[in-house]
Amino acid sequence: MPPRKPEPDAPAYIDEHHQRITEFANDYFDDDDERGEFVSTLMQRRGYKPVQHTSWEPPEPQDKGGQGGQGGQQRRSSFFKQA
């Protein structure tokens, strides 16, 4: 069986993060403006940079060393605090 071709109207995702964020927003938000704002906010939090309001540029590679007293772990924003 030949490999399936992607649907012509299927959205193009940069990576799995972009795909998961977009799919969640599609399921959760009915309003296009709210959906777009949500995706933009989360993509920027992950370090992506908007390119001409239609696509995203991947985040800069992070330097694994020299994190200064953080022990190499990234600090999550207060949005993701655990109870």
Side-chain angles (χ1 to χ4, degrees):
M1 176 184 254
R4 283 182 47 190
K5 292 182 181 178
E7 298 290 325
D9 294 333
Y13 300 111
I14 300 171
D15 57 16
E16 78 262 4
H17 301 293
H18 183 225
Q19 180 177 358
R20 291 174 58 203
I21 290 169
T22 303
E23 288 174 349
F24 177 81
N26 289 340
D27 291 342
Y28 189 75
F29 293 101
D30 294 328
D31 183 43
D32 289 339
D33 292 334
E34 286 180 323
R35 185 181 312 119
E37 186 176 328
F38 176 81
V39 170
S40 292
T41 299
L42 290 184
M43 292 294 286
Q44 288 175 2
R45 283 185 180 184
R46 292 201 61 84
Y48 292 80
K49 296 177 185 157
V51 178
Q52 299 179 2
H53 303 288
T54 58
S55 64
W56 293 94
E57 181 179 296
E60 304 267 334
Q62 294 194 2
D63 184 17
K64 296 293 181 182
Q67 296 261 338
Q70 291 183 4
Q73 294 180 354
Q74 287 184 330
R75 193 172 152 242
R76 288 186 170 181
S77 69
S78 60
F79 182 78
F80 295 105
K81 277 189 179 174
Q82 294 181 352

